[in-house]
Structures are given as structure tokens and as C-alpha cells.
Amino acid sequence: MKCPKKRCLVVGASGGLGTFLMKLLQRHKNVNVVAVCSGKHSDKMKRLGATEVVDYAHSPFEEQLKDQDSFDVVFDFVGGTDVEYGGRKVLKRGGKFITGVGPRKAIGDRVLSCSEWYGWAFGLLWRIVRGCFVGHAYEMAGAMPPVKEDDFIRTVVDTGARPEIALEVSWEEDALREAIRKVASRHTGGKFVINMEPNGGGDERVGE
């Protein structure tokens, strides 16, 4: 008997982590992937294996998906309670909500105060514990640093998956400032790399 395809929703699919995950999911034949991102990245998402692209600018993604089958897994690379609420609405019972950010949106934009950090940590812990008693699990993606060599080899080297490179910039002040501004906007469409060679030549690059 042929097993039904797993349905996965990727929120924030067009960013650096999102495109990396899309490439990993693309290697699994039994997965149906729906990407949530800006509509301008639709062609890229289809190239990376998305069967459907949901433009968050039109309306909340859960509203656009309410008449479709529920999802087995929702991956969140945006963060915040709005994505968490929307993810719960489209998850099937027994599904998983896996976040790379947590309950606070844009967690890395600034240094959190002590109370803010504890609020984020306890909010995350409460959601994980609550997941044991409600219809779906809540998980924080990623292992605690340092990254283990075996995990890196298995995930990155063996699969050959790489995030999309959205822009390469030269080692010049104006170019670097513009790159930092775009990264801070959280609408990069992939990773940025810095070309360390004078005059923009050579192959040595440093990731975003």
C-alpha cells in the first residue's frame, strides 16, 4: 500500500534558513511542501520543490489554507505569536510545530533585557510542555552549540544542500552598509555573502 505524502508548511521559506530547509525537503519523495513567503519569490519556491506558494501579503496564511487538508508539520522561521496561532489552525491532530525563532518575533534584532530573555525562555518552555497535553507538539529547532561534527556532516555535507545566495557584495563600506540594511529588513530572499578579494575578484566569501 502506498503511504500518503506528508504535508509540510514552511513559513519564511524564502530566507536563508527557509531555502536550506526547502532543499532538504526536496530530497524526500514522500513530502508535499507549501511555502509561505512574499509572492515575488514564487518562482524560486517552485524551483525548490514547493507545490504551492502562499503570499502572506494577501491575507493571513491560515485563512488562505483553511479549505485545504491539514499539515503534518509546520516549520516557522519568522517567529511570534501570529505565526504560532496560524500554525495551530492548519496543523492536524498529532502534528508538529517546529520553530527556529520561538514566541518572540525578530529575536535577534537587539539585546534583550534580563526580564525579556527569561520571558522568552519560559514562554518557550511552557509551549513545549503544553504540547504534551494538546493536539500537537511544539518544538524548538536546532541543537545547543557547539554544533557536533557528525550532525554537520550528515545535514550539510552528505546532503549537498545549501541555502540560496541572494546577493554577493564587495568588501567596501557602502556595499557592506547596504547589505546590513537589507539583512535587518528580514526580506533578503536568501543569504548574503561578502567577497573579501580586492575589486570584487576571487572566490573567498564569508556568509551572512
PDB file of all heavy atoms in Angstrom, residues 10-39:
ATOM      1  N   VAL A  10       6.084  25.614   5.278  1.00  0.00           N
ATOM      2  CA  VAL A  10       7.298  26.336   5.659  1.00  0.00           C
ATOM      3  C   VAL A  10       6.991  27.824   5.662  1.00  0.00           C
ATOM      4  O   VAL A  10       6.753  28.422   4.605  1.00  0.00           O
ATOM      5  CB  VAL A  10       8.469  26.031   4.702  1.00  0.00           C
ATOM      6  CG1 VAL A  10       9.733  26.758   5.165  1.00  0.00           C
ATOM      7  CG2 VAL A  10       8.715  24.523   4.605  1.00  0.00           C
ATOM      8  N   VAL A  11       6.970  28.441   6.840  1.00  0.00           N
ATOM      9  CA  VAL A  11       6.702  29.869   6.986  1.00  0.00           C
ATOM     10  C   VAL A  11       8.036  30.607   7.043  1.00  0.00           C
ATOM     11  O   VAL A  11       8.882  30.317   7.889  1.00  0.00           O
ATOM     12  CB  VAL A  11       5.887  30.151   8.263  1.00  0.00           C
ATOM     13  CG1 VAL A  11       5.542  31.632   8.356  1.00  0.00           C
ATOM     14  CG2 VAL A  11       4.619  29.302   8.297  1.00  0.00           C
ATOM     15  N   GLY A  12       8.222  31.553   6.128  1.00  0.00           N
ATOM     16  CA  GLY A  12       9.532  32.194   5.996  1.00  0.00           C
ATOM     17  C   GLY A  12      10.431  31.379   5.077  1.00  0.00           C
ATOM     18  O   GLY A  12      11.630  31.277   5.285  1.00  0.00           O
ATOM     19  N   ALA A  13       9.816  30.816   4.030  1.00  0.00           N
ATOM     20  CA  ALA A  13      10.519  29.858   3.175  1.00  0.00           C
ATOM     21  C   ALA A  13      11.583  30.487   2.295  1.00  0.00           C
ATOM     22  O   ALA A  13      12.484  29.786   1.827  1.00  0.00           O
ATOM     23  CB  ALA A  13       9.506  29.113   2.307  1.00  0.00           C
ATOM     24  N   SER A  14      11.509  31.780   2.033  1.00  0.00           N
ATOM     25  CA  SER A  14      12.426  32.388   1.072  1.00  0.00           C
ATOM     26  C   SER A  14      13.724  32.899   1.692  1.00  0.00           C
ATOM     27  O   SER A  14      14.615  33.348   0.977  1.00  0.00           O
ATOM     28  CB  SER A  14      11.731  33.547   0.342  1.00  0.00           C
ATOM     29  OG  SER A  14      11.374  34.571   1.268  1.00  0.00           O
ATOM     30  N   GLY A  15      13.850  32.849   3.017  1.00  0.00           N
ATOM     31  CA  GLY A  15      15.071  33.312   3.674  1.00  0.00           C
ATOM     32  C   GLY A  15      16.187  32.284   3.612  1.00  0.00           C
ATOM     33  O   GLY A  15      16.062  31.220   3.000  1.00  0.00           O
ATOM     34  N   GLY A  16      17.309  32.603   4.266  1.00  0.00           N
ATOM     35  CA  GLY A  16      18.459  31.709   4.242  1.00  0.00           C
ATOM     36  C   GLY A  16      18.160  30.337   4.804  1.00  0.00           C
ATOM     37  O   GLY A  16      18.442  29.304   4.181  1.00  0.00           O
ATOM     38  N   LEU A  17      17.568  30.289   6.004  1.00  0.00           N
ATOM     39  CA  LEU A  17      17.219  29.003   6.613  1.00  0.00           C
ATOM     40  C   LEU A  17      16.068  28.332   5.869  1.00  0.00           C
ATOM     41  O   LEU A  17      16.045  27.106   5.708  1.00  0.00           O
ATOM     42  CB  LEU A  17      16.843  29.195   8.086  1.00  0.00           C
ATOM     43  CG  LEU A  17      17.989  29.564   9.018  1.00  0.00           C
ATOM     44  CD1 LEU A  17      17.456  29.871  10.416  1.00  0.00           C
ATOM     45  CD2 LEU A  17      19.028  28.459   9.081  1.00  0.00           C
ATOM     46  N   GLY A  18      15.113  29.136   5.422  1.00  0.00           N
ATOM     47  CA  GLY A  18      13.978  28.580   4.711  1.00  0.00           C
ATOM     48  C   GLY A  18      14.381  27.889   3.420  1.00  0.00           C
ATOM     49  O   GLY A  18      13.923  26.781   3.124  1.00  0.00           O
ATOM     50  N   THR A  19      15.255  28.524   2.626  1.00  0.00           N
ATOM     51  CA  THR A  19      15.680  27.909   1.368  1.00  0.00           C
ATOM     52  C   THR A  19      16.522  26.665   1.621  1.00  0.00           C
ATOM     53  O   THR A  19      16.466  25.707   0.847  1.00  0.00           O
ATOM     54  CB  THR A  19      16.470  28.898   0.501  1.00  0.00           C
ATOM     55  OG1 THR A  19      17.596  29.422   1.241  1.00  0.00           O
ATOM     56  CG2 THR A  19      15.591  30.070   0.064  1.00  0.00           C
ATOM     57  N   PHE A  20      17.292  26.675   2.712  1.00  0.00           N
ATOM     58  CA  PHE A  20      18.075  25.480   3.059  1.00  0.00           C
ATOM     59  C   PHE A  20      17.133  24.316   3.380  1.00  0.00           C
ATOM     60  O   PHE A  20      17.328  23.186   2.901  1.00  0.00           O
ATOM     61  CB  PHE A  20      18.983  25.783   4.249  1.00  0.00           C
ATOM     62  CG  PHE A  20      19.819  24.610   4.688  1.00  0.00           C
ATOM     63  CD1 PHE A  20      20.878  24.168   3.924  1.00  0.00           C
ATOM     64  CD2 PHE A  20      19.531  23.946   5.866  1.00  0.00           C
ATOM     65  CE1 PHE A  20      21.647  23.082   4.325  1.00  0.00           C
ATOM     66  CE2 PHE A  20      20.289  22.864   6.278  1.00  0.00           C
ATOM     67  CZ  PHE A  20      21.357  22.433   5.503  1.00  0.00           C
ATOM     68  N   LEU A  21      16.105  24.582   4.175  1.00  0.00           N
ATOM     69  CA  LEU A  21      15.150  23.530   4.505  1.00  0.00           C
ATOM     70  C   LEU A  21      14.398  23.057   3.256  1.00  0.00           C
ATOM     71  O   LEU A  21      14.157  21.854   3.082  1.00  0.00           O
ATOM     72  CB  LEU A  21      14.146  24.029   5.547  1.00  0.00           C
ATOM     73  CG  LEU A  21      13.041  23.033   5.906  1.00  0.00           C
ATOM     74  CD1 LEU A  21      13.634  21.793   6.571  1.00  0.00           C
ATOM     75  CD2 LEU A  21      12.005  23.677   6.820  1.00  0.00           C
ATOM     76  N   MET A  22      14.035  23.988   2.376  1.00  0.00           N
ATOM     77  CA  MET A  22      13.343  23.601   1.151  1.00  0.00           C
ATOM     78  C   MET A  22      14.177  22.615   0.339  1.00  0.00           C
ATOM     79  O   MET A  22      13.651  21.649  -0.221  1.00  0.00           O
ATOM     80  CB  MET A  22      13.028  24.846   0.310  1.00  0.00           C
ATOM     81  CG  MET A  22      11.998  25.784   0.923  1.00  0.00           C
ATOM     82  SD  MET A  22      10.323  25.105   0.983  1.00  0.00           S
ATOM     83  CE  MET A  22       9.934  25.035  -0.756  1.00  0.00           C
ATOM     84  N   LYS A  23      15.476  22.840   0.299  1.00  0.00           N
ATOM     85  CA  LYS A  23      16.348  21.925  -0.447  1.00  0.00           C
ATOM     86  C   LYS A  23      16.439  20.564   0.231  1.00  0.00           C
ATOM     87  O   LYS A  23      16.517  19.535  -0.443  1.00  0.00           O
ATOM     88  CB  LYS A  23      17.737  22.548  -0.611  1.00  0.00           C
ATOM     89  CG  LYS A  23      17.765  23.722  -1.571  1.00  0.00           C
ATOM     90  CD  LYS A  23      19.163  24.240  -1.793  1.00  0.00           C
ATOM     91  CE  LYS A  23      19.183  25.367  -2.797  1.00  0.00           C
ATOM     92  NZ  LYS A  23      20.543  25.869  -3.062  1.00  0.00           N
ATOM     93  N   LEU A  24      16.418  20.554   1.561  1.00  0.00           N
ATOM     94  CA  LEU A  24      16.422  19.275   2.271  1.00  0.00           C
ATOM     95  C   LEU A  24      15.116  18.515   2.016  1.00  0.00           C
ATOM     96  O   LEU A  24      15.126  17.310   1.751  1.00  0.00           O
ATOM     97  CB  LEU A  24      16.610  19.500   3.767  1.00  0.00           C
ATOM     98  CG  LEU A  24      17.993  19.960   4.242  1.00  0.00           C
ATOM     99  CD1 LEU A  24      17.974  20.195   5.747  1.00  0.00           C
ATOM    100  CD2 LEU A  24      19.072  18.930   3.892  1.00  0.00           C
ATOM    101  N   LEU A  25      13.994  19.221   2.091  1.00  0.00           N
ATOM    102  CA  LEU A  25      12.698  18.571   1.876  1.00  0.00           C
ATOM    103  C   LEU A  25      12.546  18.088   0.433  1.00  0.00           C
ATOM    104  O   LEU A  25      11.866  17.093   0.166  1.00  0.00           O
ATOM    105  CB  LEU A  25      11.566  19.538   2.221  1.00  0.00           C
ATOM    106  CG  LEU A  25      11.437  19.929   3.693  1.00  0.00           C
ATOM    107  CD1 LEU A  25      10.372  21.000   3.866  1.00  0.00           C
ATOM    108  CD2 LEU A  25      11.125  18.724   4.559  1.00  0.00           C
ATOM    109  N   GLN A  26      13.195  18.805  -0.477  1.00  0.00           N
ATOM    110  CA  GLN A  26      13.109  18.446  -1.893  1.00  0.00           C
ATOM    111  C   GLN A  26      13.683  17.050  -2.151  1.00  0.00           C
ATOM    112  O   GLN A  26      13.318  16.397  -3.126  1.00  0.00           O
ATOM    113  CB  GLN A  26      13.873  19.490  -2.723  1.00  0.00           C
ATOM    114  CG  GLN A  26      13.606  19.449  -4.208  1.00  0.00           C
ATOM    115  CD  GLN A  26      14.336  20.572  -4.919  1.00  0.00           C
ATOM    116  OE1 GLN A  26      15.426  20.991  -4.530  1.00  0.00           O
ATOM    117  NE2 GLN A  26      13.731  21.090  -5.982  1.00  0.00           N
ATOM    118  N   ARG A  27      14.553  16.594  -1.276  1.00  0.00           N
ATOM    119  CA  ARG A  27      15.193  15.290  -1.449  1.00  0.00           C
ATOM    120  C   ARG A  27      14.302  14.138  -0.987  1.00  0.00           C
ATOM    121  O   ARG A  27      14.642  12.984  -1.185  1.00  0.00           O
ATOM    122  CB  ARG A  27      16.524  15.271  -0.694  1.00  0.00           C
ATOM    123  CG  ARG A  27      17.515  16.275  -1.267  1.00  0.00           C
ATOM    124  CD  ARG A  27      18.760  16.413  -0.417  1.00  0.00           C
ATOM    125  NE  ARG A  27      19.673  17.366  -1.021  1.00  0.00           N
ATOM    126  CZ  ARG A  27      20.577  17.049  -1.948  1.00  0.00           C
ATOM    127  NH1 ARG A  27      20.697  15.792  -2.333  1.00  0.00           N
ATOM    128  NH2 ARG A  27      21.368  17.961  -2.465  1.00  0.00           N
ATOM    129  N   HIS A  28      13.192  14.465  -0.335  1.00  0.00           N
ATOM    130  CA  HIS A  28      12.272  13.436   0.141  1.00  0.00           C
ATOM    131  C   HIS A  28      11.101  13.325  -0.831  1.00  0.00           C
ATOM    132  O   HIS A  28      10.383  14.295  -1.068  1.00  0.00           O
ATOM    133  CB  HIS A  28      11.777  13.770   1.547  1.00  0.00           C
ATOM    134  CG  HIS A  28      12.845  13.741   2.586  1.00  0.00           C
ATOM    135  ND1 HIS A  28      13.218  12.594   3.240  1.00  0.00           N
ATOM    136  CD2 HIS A  28      13.650  14.722   3.069  1.00  0.00           C
ATOM    137  CE1 HIS A  28      14.191  12.860   4.097  1.00  0.00           C
ATOM    138  NE2 HIS A  28      14.475  14.140   4.010  1.00  0.00           N
ATOM    139  N   LYS A  29      10.909  12.160  -1.380  1.00  0.00           N
ATOM    140  CA  LYS A  29       9.888  11.959  -2.405  1.00  0.00           C
ATOM    141  C   LYS A  29       8.479  11.982  -1.826  1.00  0.00           C
ATOM    142  O   LYS A  29       7.517  12.311  -2.524  1.00  0.00           O
ATOM    143  CB  LYS A  29      10.124  10.611  -3.107  1.00  0.00           C
ATOM    144  CG  LYS A  29      11.502  10.468  -3.727  1.00  0.00           C
ATOM    145  CD  LYS A  29      11.734  11.473  -4.840  1.00  0.00           C
ATOM    146  CE  LYS A  29      13.083  11.232  -5.517  1.00  0.00           C
ATOM    147  NZ  LYS A  29      13.348  12.242  -6.568  1.00  0.00           N
ATOM    148  N   ASN A  30       8.366  11.651  -0.546  1.00  0.00           N
ATOM    149  CA  ASN A  30       7.037  11.479   0.038  1.00  0.00           C
ATOM    150  C   ASN A  30       6.584  12.707   0.837  1.00  0.00           C
ATOM    151  O   ASN A  30       5.925  12.583   1.861  1.00  0.00           O
ATOM    152  CB  ASN A  30       7.029  10.242   0.943  1.00  0.00           C
ATOM    153  CG  ASN A  30       5.634   9.672   1.111  1.00  0.00           C
ATOM    154  OD1 ASN A  30       4.840   9.672   0.174  1.00  0.00           O
ATOM    155  ND2 ASN A  30       5.331   9.186   2.306  1.00  0.00           N
ATOM    156  N   VAL A  31       6.960  13.898   0.359  1.00  0.00           N
ATOM    157  CA  VAL A  31       6.643  15.135   1.068  1.00  0.00           C
ATOM    158  C   VAL A  31       5.996  16.128   0.109  1.00  0.00           C
ATOM    159  O   VAL A  31       6.470  16.329  -1.010  1.00  0.00           O
ATOM    160  CB  VAL A  31       7.915  15.759   1.684  1.00  0.00           C
ATOM    161  CG1 VAL A  31       7.600  17.118   2.295  1.00  0.00           C
ATOM    162  CG2 VAL A  31       8.501  14.842   2.748  1.00  0.00           C
ATOM    163  N   ASN A  32       4.919  16.735   0.566  1.00  0.00           N
ATOM    164  CA  ASN A  32       4.239  17.790  -0.169  1.00  0.00           C
ATOM    165  C   ASN A  32       4.476  19.094   0.600  1.00  0.00           C
ATOM    166  O   ASN A  32       4.081  19.216   1.755  1.00  0.00           O
ATOM    167  CB  ASN A  32       2.743  17.463  -0.263  1.00  0.00           C
ATOM    168  CG  ASN A  32       1.962  18.473  -1.058  1.00  0.00           C
ATOM    169  OD1 ASN A  32       1.980  19.652  -0.763  1.00  0.00           O
ATOM    170  ND2 ASN A  32       1.234  18.011  -2.058  1.00  0.00           N
ATOM    171  N   VAL A  33       5.151  20.065  -0.032  1.00  0.00           N
ATOM    172  CA  VAL A  33       5.591  21.278   0.660  1.00  0.00           C
ATOM    173  C   VAL A  33       4.847  22.509   0.159  1.00  0.00           C
ATOM    174  O   VAL A  33       4.777  22.750  -1.053  1.00  0.00           O
ATOM    175  CB  VAL A  33       7.110  21.497   0.481  1.00  0.00           C
ATOM    176  CG1 VAL A  33       7.561  22.733   1.274  1.00  0.00           C
ATOM    177  CG2 VAL A  33       7.893  20.272   0.930  1.00  0.00           C
ATOM    178  N   VAL A  34       4.292  23.271   1.090  1.00  0.00           N
ATOM    179  CA  VAL A  34       3.678  24.559   0.791  1.00  0.00           C
ATOM    180  C   VAL A  34       4.541  25.641   1.435  1.00  0.00           C
ATOM    181  O   VAL A  34       4.882  25.548   2.611  1.00  0.00           O
ATOM    182  CB  VAL A  34       2.235  24.632   1.327  1.00  0.00           C
ATOM    183  CG1 VAL A  34       1.641  26.017   1.089  1.00  0.00           C
ATOM    184  CG2 VAL A  34       1.366  23.567   0.661  1.00  0.00           C
ATOM    185  N   ALA A  35       4.916  26.647   0.654  1.00  0.00           N
ATOM    186  CA  ALA A  35       5.802  27.709   1.127  1.00  0.00           C
ATOM    187  C   ALA A  35       5.023  28.985   1.400  1.00  0.00           C
ATOM    188  O   ALA A  35       4.179  29.385   0.594  1.00  0.00           O
ATOM    189  CB  ALA A  35       6.898  27.977   0.100  1.00  0.00           C
ATOM    190  N   VAL A  36       5.311  29.639   2.529  1.00  0.00           N
ATOM    191  CA  VAL A  36       4.730  30.945   2.853  1.00  0.00           C
ATOM    192  C   VAL A  36       5.834  31.984   2.775  1.00  0.00           C
ATOM    193  O   VAL A  36       6.845  31.901   3.497  1.00  0.00           O
ATOM    194  CB  VAL A  36       4.101  30.952   4.264  1.00  0.00           C
ATOM    195  CG1 VAL A  36       3.541  32.335   4.582  1.00  0.00           C
ATOM    196  CG2 VAL A  36       3.014  29.898   4.379  1.00  0.00           C
ATOM    197  N   CYS A  37       5.675  32.944   1.878  1.00  0.00           N
ATOM    198  CA  CYS A  37       6.690  33.992   1.699  1.00  0.00           C
ATOM    199  C   CYS A  37       6.079  35.095   0.836  1.00  0.00           C
ATOM    200  O   CYS A  37       4.884  35.060   0.514  1.00  0.00           O
ATOM    201  CB  CYS A  37       7.951  33.420   1.040  1.00  0.00           C
ATOM    202  SG  CYS A  37       7.661  32.725  -0.604  1.00  0.00           S
ATOM    203  N   SER A  38       6.893  36.060   0.451  1.00  0.00           N
ATOM    204  CA  SER A  38       6.426  37.101  -0.457  1.00  0.00           C
ATOM    205  C   SER A  38       6.179  36.500  -1.834  1.00  0.00           C
ATOM    206  O   SER A  38       6.914  35.626  -2.293  1.00  0.00           O
ATOM    207  CB  SER A  38       7.487  38.203  -0.560  1.00  0.00           C
ATOM    208  OG  SER A  38       7.170  39.106  -1.598  1.00  0.00           O
ATOM    209  N   GLY A  39       5.151  36.998  -2.502  1.00  0.00           N
ATOM    210  CA  GLY A  39       4.806  36.482  -3.811  1.00  0.00           C
ATOM    211  C   GLY A  39       5.914  36.654  -4.845  1.00  0.00           C
ATOM    212  O   GLY A  39       5.967  35.909  -5.828  1.00  0.00           O
TER     213      GLY A  39
END
